Amino acid sequence: MSALTVRAQRQKIFKAVFQTDSSQPTPRLPSLEPGEPFGGPPPATVNASARGGRRHAANDVSDQVRWDRAWHLVTSRIQLPSSVAMEDSFGTLPPQSQDTESDFYDALPIVLDPTANVPLATHTEDVLLWHARQVRQHFVNHVLPLLAACAGLADTAQVVASTVNTLAAAHRQYLNGLLLVVRGIPSEPAAEAATSTFRRDLHAVIGNSWTQGLINALNPALRRLLRTILGTGRKFDGRNAFEDPNASGAREELLRLLESLQKVGLAGDKFQVLFAELMDGCMRDFIQKAYAGVWEALEVKDPDSGSVMPGCMAHLCHWVENHYGRLAVEVFSRLGGQVKWADVEQWREIAIGRLATLRIHELFDIVLHWPQTRGGLDDLSYSVTTPQRRLALTDTFSAALQHRLLHPGRSTLEILQTYISMIRTFHALDHSKVLLDRVVHALQLYLCQRDDAIRIVVTGLLANPKGNDANQAKTKLVELAVIINEASQLQRTAIDEEDLDWDDMNWVPDPVDAGVNYKRPKNEDVVGTLISALGSQDLFIKEFQHIIAERLLSKQPGFQQEIKVLGLLKKRFGEHALQNCDVMVKDIQDSRRLDAVLRRKIRGAQQPGAPALSYHSRILSRLFWPSLTKETFKVPAPVADIQAQYEAGFEQLKSSRKLGWLHSLGTATVSLELEDRTIDVECKTYEAAVIFEFQGEGTQSDTGAQQRTFDEIWQSLMMDEDALELALRFWVTKKVLKDVGNRTYVVMERLDSEEAKQDAHDDTSVDDGAEASGSASPKKAKGVDPKEAERRTIYWQFILGMLTNSAPAMPLSQIAMMMKMLIADGCHWSNEELQEFLEEKIAAGELELAGGKYRLLKK
């Protein structure tokens, strides 16, 4: 639809509401007879009998003529100009003369009160109505085009000024005629009523004349002034109130602008709607910019009510009452309106609701940075009190949880750390735990799909709570160790007693929005909530037994932390559930005493001058320990002799029991004396057995060094082929053995200069993963370029993510397929090169190969 059509329709509607057709000033009528005065009575030449009737007709004609003359004089005096070229043309009023003024004021009573002054006149009109109609017509035909021209100016300030000046000039012209007419009204109340009605109608006409250009010009000007007055854009710094130093000047400028708009009729409904929208936007901007990310804990006491409010809430209420509400009162009082205290209270509730919405969207970040974000949580506790806001909080947080946490890019450790922060944060927010129960189901379900979740939790419980190692905090869930060592956990009663509410003197009904299976917690039980989220209690206890078994079999000197955690878990799960762990701890303690006794007997039975071999053992109760890998192989003869002595001594002490050796679980310290160096290595027992095969008589290489083939070693030791291959690779990386091809290995008695230079070059050129493995990467013989080093790092991080988040173990073919499918640039290695890279990681102790599948080494 064209602009002309729209304007025509608007004009039609406008004329239908406001009649713009007005009669023109009555013209002077020509006299009937020459020399006869206009409107004068006819000559008195009739007889007396006819004089009465003739006189009555003459009076009728005389009253109508008097009315016509008066109407012509008054309307001609107040008639508006027929054309307008610019706004200044409104300011030139018709010239006044004494004769004209006297005639005008003589005629004015006749026009204003024809009933009293010309009772016999048959045709009269309302001069005030006539003036109002001509004003409307004049405004439509002459003023509106000028306003459209003003709206087209480039400078927004000039648009407002020109529009106001144009309307002010029109006001002067329109009110001049009105005031001339009103002077003839003898009653002052009637004169005021006529003036008020005219102004109201004129302002209604002007209020309908808003142009988009005027709106576009007023919008930024008002927004700028309001932002300065209300202090929008400033960050809350803990003070109770602050004010922009330019606020007073901006307030005066706003009130002057408002006064000028009010005078010309532009402060009507449209302006009030525009002003209300800007005030609403200023409130939104103020809350967003003042309080976003401000989470410091600060409490302020309300001097009126005496209640304690969070810092941001107290500051916001103060701002609404003393800045926002004050400005609204000043503005609406000039517009003829009134602001009630109920309105201020409603604005305060709206502001609190918007701050609550801001904090709801920030809740995930508040959880991540807990407890430094206590102030933001206090704002939520104060404002989120209705079921609708509680529902909005849980829905928004659940969406943020899915988008930012529950995906393969997040490690299980990060998810568990966030879960702990969620438990503490939501417990502080809602002691009933209803809100946490409504957002945690997706996280618990996702954690159950992570195979390493229980292991990380158990490892965290067994970590050192007083450790200051930053790396330990990044790799272990140290938070659990700190929690379980708190005084509240040490004094914890059994879980069966906790379910009883018969002695709870602070009992309250369940919340209205609680779920079907809701169970009110007595306190913030982080450990219990976390354990229950990982599945059944039996799974957790089983994993705990495996991990505590590994730690008890390690070489650490003491197990105080393990014993403490075991005691705390027995309080939680009961003595019977952790009976096996008690037996395992007792086995380790008894083993130390038995080992000391048996070693003394062995030393006493040794022949003088025999080589001393330091040997320690741990004796385990087979039925109470978790299934341990039992890979048999032939141990070196000196070790076998000592084991036989151990068995004999143990059977003397424990006549009803026998020993079964778990060779693969032990460790050994090997000292190798080569021609140009001595190497002391701590290794696994199968690795020591392999290197022991190169001692003594056997096949020698061309250089005289001992050499063995893979098959020879396998037939001698009867060891698993995968374990044998890993052991040989281990000694190759230590520069003790050298693979000369055909699965033949030679002892490197000496390191020649070229090999030493190559070793030094490798140490400075490979990345961290290659340094750990001590071997070159695929596709390189003597060095690694930066691109290849970066590629190795990316590939390793991807493999770590797959084995952590997707599956705990994968064969080579599956790893290669996923790398080629999911890495953006694809995998540039062949399967053989990828296998070589994975073998390096195995030698570095980061991966292990079991059953043809690669998996991360449990540490």
Side-chain angles (χ1 to χ4, degrees):
M1 188 179 295
S2 64
L4 293 176
T5 305
V6 173
R7 180 175 295 180
Q9 290 183 355
R10 292 187 61 185
Q11 295 286 350
K12 184 177 180 181
I13 296 173
F14 185 80
K15 291 181 179 180
V17 178
F18 303 106
Q19 298 181 12
T20 58
D21 297 331
S22 62
S23 59
Q24 296 300 318
T26 305
R28 286 182 180 274
L29 299 178
S31 178
L32 300 178
E33 298 293 338
E36 181 181 6
F38 177 74
T45 56
V46 295
N47 54 23
S49 61
R51 187 173 298 166
R54 175 103 181 210
R55 183 179 299 113
H56 181 72
N59 289 337
D60 291 346
V61 174
S62 177
D63 284 355
Q64 185 63 51
V65 171
R66 289 179 61 202
W67 159 262
D68 292 338
R69 284 176 175 273
W71 179 263
H72 171 79
L73 184 61
V74 171
T75 54
S76 298
R77 178 69 177 82
I78 64 174
Q79 186 178 13
L80 296 173
S82 59
S83 63
V84 176
M86 61 181 67
E87 62 182 50
D88 294 338
S89 64
F90 292 109
T92 304
L93 299 177
Q96 300 179 5
S97 63
Q98 191 67 30
D99 296 338
T100 306
E101 289 294 322
S102 60
D103 294 342
F104 174 79
Y105 287 113
D106 290 340
L108 193 56
I110 298 174
V111 175
L112 289 174
D113 192 6
T115 304
N117 295 294
V118 284
L120 300 179
T122 58
H123 175 71
T124 60
E125 291 188 43
D126 188 345
V127 68
L128 293 175
L129 180 60
W130 179 89
H131 182 58
R133 288 177 178 175
Q134 77 153 349
V135 165
R136 295 187 190 117
Q137 185 176 7
H138 185 272
F139 186 85
V140 171
N141 295 331
H142 303 292
V143 180
L144 283 182
L146 285 180
L147 294 180
C150 294
L153 297 176
D155 188 2
T156 55
Q158 191 65 29
V159 170
V160 178
S162 299
T163 302
V164 171
N165 292 336
T166 300
L167 291 175
H171 264 75
R172 287 195 301 271
Q173 187 70 47
Y174 298 158
L175 291 176
N176 177 70
L178 176 68
L179 295 177
L180 290 176
V181 174
V182 169
R183 289 175 186 175
I185 301 177
S187 173
E188 184 175 351
E192 292 179 356
T195 304
S196 176
T197 302
F198 179 81
R199 288 180 180 272
R200 182 195 62 201
D201 295 343
L202 179 59
H203 285 180
V205 174
I206 295 176
N208 191 52
S209 65
W210 278 74
T211 61
Q212 190 61 40
L214 178 60
I215 296 176
N216 296 338
L218 270 178
N219 211 316
L222 291 174
R223 183 182 291 110
R224 174 182 59 82
L225 295 174
L226 292 178
R227 286 172 58 87
T228 304
I229 297 170
L230 298 176
T232 304
R234 289 171 170 250
K235 212 70 171 173
F236 176 52
D237 57 358
R239 291 180 294 172
N240 212 20
F242 55 75
E243 187 171 347
D244 195 304
N246 301 320
S248 58
R251 188 184 303 273
E252 294 177 1
E253 183 180 351
L254 174 64
L255 295 179
R256 286 197 303 269
L257 175 61
L258 183 64
E259 185 178 356
S260 63
L261 295 177
Q262 173 75 3
K263 286 181 178 179
V264 300
L266 287 177
D269 293 341
K270 286 195 174 183
F271 174 79
Q272 294 179 22
V273 170
L274 175 63
F275 186 80
E277 291 175 351
L278 291 174
M279 289 285 284
D280 183 73
C282 283
M283 179 187 287
R284 292 179 183 275
D285 293 343
F286 177 82
I287 294 173
Q288 178 66 35
K289 295 181 180 179
Y291 306 121
V294 179
W295 303 322
E296 296 180 1
L298 180 68
E299 294 183 348
V300 178
K301 187 175 183 180
D302 188 358
D304 297 330
S305 63
S307 60
V308 177
M309 301 175 64
C312 290
M313 283 293 174
H315 179 265
L316 179 60
C317 293
H318 175 83
W319 177 82
V320 170
E321 294 174 6
N322 296 279
H323 293 76
Y324 192 87
R326 172 190 170 189
L327 179 61
V329 169
E330 291 178 348
V331 170
F332 283 101
S333 62
R334 283 166 172 76
L335 298 179
Q338 185 180 5
V339 176
K340 301 179 181 178
W341 177 248
D343 299 328
V344 178
E345 290 181 339
Q346 186 176 6
W347 294 335
R348 184 175 58 190
E349 292 301 319
I350 292 173
I352 290 176
R354 288 176 177 174
L355 181 56
T357 302
L358 174 64
R359 291 291 185 251
I360 287 173
H361 286 87
E362 292 179 335
L363 182 55
F364 190 85
D365 294 301
I366 291 175
V367 168
L368 292 181
H369 297 88
W370 178 263
Q372 290 78 17
T373 55
R374 180 75 195 198
L377 201 70
D378 291 340
D379 293 336
L380 279 174
S381 301
Y382 184 86
S383 58
V384 180
T385 55
T386 62
Q388 293 80 8
R389 287 182 183 173
R390 289 165 66 91
L391 180 61
L393 183 146
T394 54
D395 291 345
T396 303
F397 187 83
S398 298
L401 200 66
Q402 289 285 352
H403 179 68
R404 299 179 59 180
L405 188 68
L406 305 183
H407 55 79
R410 289 282 192 170
S411 66
T412 307
L413 179 61
E414 291 176 312
I415 296 175
L416 288 169
Q417 288 173 336
T418 306
Y419 191 12
I420 293 174
S421 297
M422 283 175 55
I423 296 172
R424 291 190 153 184
T425 305
F426 276 82
H427 183 80
L429 176 63
D430 174 33
H431 292 290
S432 68
K433 210 176 178 181
V434 172
L435 297 180
L436 179 63
D437 184 65
R438 285 161 59 178
V439 301
V440 81
H441 293 296
L443 188 147
Q444 292 177 346
L445 182 62
Y446 191 79
L447 273 178
C448 292
Q449 301 172 8
R450 294 289 184 99
D451 297 322
D452 58 340
I454 299 179
R455 170 169 285 271
I456 291 177
V457 170
V458 175
T459 306
L461 290 172
L462 298 174
N464 183 11
K466 299 181 180 179
N468 297 323
D469 188 2
N471 293 328
Q472 184 182 10
K474 294 180 180 178
T475 57
K476 293 184 179 180
L477 205 60
V478 186
E479 295 90 337
L480 285 182
V482 176
I483 293 171
I484 204 169
N485 282 275
E486 293 176 351
S488 60
Q489 298 290 331
L490 297 175
Q491 300 173 359
R492 184 179 179 86
T493 57
I495 192 169
D496 294 337
E497 299 178 10
E498 203 172 83
D499 292 339
L500 302 177
D501 286 336
W502 56 270
D503 59 346
D504 187 2
M505 303 305 295
N506 297 320
W507 181 90
V508 293
D510 293 342
V512 295
D513 54 349
V516 178
N517 297 322
Y518 169 73
K519 180 181 177 183
R520 179 181 298 277
K522 282 185 173 292
N523 50 31
E524 177 191 313
D525 185 11
V526 177
V527 177
T529 304
L530 202 58
I531 292 174
S532 62
L534 299 175
S536 65
Q537 173 181 319
D538 295 336
L539 289 176
F540 178 83
I541 294 177
K542 183 177 180 181
E543 186 66 25
F544 179 77
Q545 291 174 353
H546 279 281
I547 293 178
I548 202 172
E550 294 175 0
R551 296 174 71 95
L552 292 174
L553 293 177
S554 65
K555 297 182 68 174
Q556 64 185 56
F559 305 99
Q560 291 81 6
Q561 179 68 13
E562 287 78 3
I563 295 174
K564 179 188 292 185
V565 172
L566 179 59
L568 294 174
L569 292 181
K570 284 195 294 185
K571 288 184 178 181
R572 183 178 297 275
F573 299 125
E575 297 279 349
H576 179 72
L578 295 165
Q579 180 182 3
N580 288 5
C581 295
D582 283 334
V583 175
M584 288 191 289
V585 173
K586 187 175 184 301
D587 283 345
I588 297 301
Q589 294 172 344
D590 293 343
S591 293
R592 292 180 176 178
R593 294 191 294 270
L594 286 173
D595 181 66
V597 173
L598 295 176
R599 287 179 63 210
R600 283 197 299 268
K601 287 185 177 181
I602 292 173
R603 283 199 303 268
Q606 281 183 345
Q607 297 296 328
L613 183 63
S614 178
Y615 191 87
H616 300 273
S617 66
R618 290 188 174 92
I619 301 171
L620 315 178
S621 302
R622 178 177 59 86
L623 297 178
F624 293 91
W625 285 73
S627 57
L628 303 174
T629 55
K630 188 176 181 180
E631 297 179 359
T632 59
F633 55 89
K634 183 180 178 181
V635 297
V639 177
D641 293 340
I642 293 183
Q643 286 181 351
Q645 297 178 42
Y646 253 93
E647 291 178 9
F650 180 77
E651 290 177 1
Q652 290 179 359
L653 296 175
K654 307 284 185 179
S655 59
S656 62
R657 300 171 64 183
K658 291 186 178 182
L659 293 180
W661 297 98
L662 300 175
H663 295 148
S664 60
L665 297 182
T667 59
T669 302
V670 177
S671 180
L672 302 176
E673 295 183 0
L674 302 173
E675 291 183 6
D676 62 345
R677 65 199 185 281
T678 299
I679 299 177
D680 293 326
V681 180
E682 184 174 339
C683 60
K684 298 178 180 178
T685 51
Y686 66 89
E687 294 171 343
V690 169
I691 199 64
F692 189 82
E693 287 297 308
F694 288 85
Q695 178 176 313
E697 298 181 357
T699 307
Q700 295 183 350
S701 65
D702 296 339
T703 60
Q706 295 289 331
Q707 73 174 19
R708 299 289 187 277
T709 64
F710 184 91
D711 293 337
E712 290 174 351
I713 302 174
W714 177 76
Q715 292 176 0
S716 174
L717 298 179
M718 300 303 294
M719 184 184 293
D720 181 75
E721 292 186 2
D722 291 337
L724 177 56
E725 188 172 356
L726 289 176
L728 291 171
R729 174 64 64 179
F730 173 80
W731 293 113
V732 169
T733 59
K734 296 296 182 182
K735 302 300 180 184
V736 175
L737 299 180
K738 182 178 182 180
D739 187 356
V740 295
N742 295 325
R743 307 185 78 181
T744 302
Y745 297 86
V746 179
V747 177
M748 299 177 65
E749 293 286 350
R750 300 184 63 86
L751 291 176
D752 55 25
S753 59
E754 293 296 329
E755 291 176 340
K757 291 179 181 179
Q758 179 62 41
D759 292 340
H761 178 72
D762 290 344
D763 290 342
T764 58
S765 63
V766 297
D767 62 355
D768 295 340
E771 287 177 4
S773 64
S775 63
S777 69
K779 298 185 179 181
K780 83 170 180 70
K782 296 186 178 181
V784 138
D785 58 23
K787 290 186 178 180
E788 182 66 22
E790 182 181 1
R791 184 180 300 153
R792 285 167 56 84
T793 303
I794 295 174
Y795 288 177
W796 175 239
Q797 293 299 326
F798 187 82
I799 294 171
L800 279 178
M802 285 194 300
L803 296 179
T804 301
N805 303 329
S806 297
M810 287 186 181
L812 176 67
S813 58
Q814 185 179 0
I815 295 176
M817 179 188 67
M818 293 188 68
M819 291 177 68
K820 291 178 181 178
M821 290 176 57
L822 301 179
I823 294 179
D825 298 332
C827 181
H828 300 279
W829 289 349
S830 63
N831 287 2
E832 292 76 13
E833 292 169 333
L834 178 60
Q835 183 179 10
E836 184 179 351
F837 178 74
L838 295 176
E839 288 175 356
E840 293 177 16
K841 296 301 180 182
I842 292 174
E846 299 184 32
L847 289 179
E848 62 180 354
L849 182 63
K853 294 184 178 181
Y854 294 92
R855 64 184 181 186
L856 295 175
L857 193 64
K858 295 181 180 180
K859 298 181 180 179

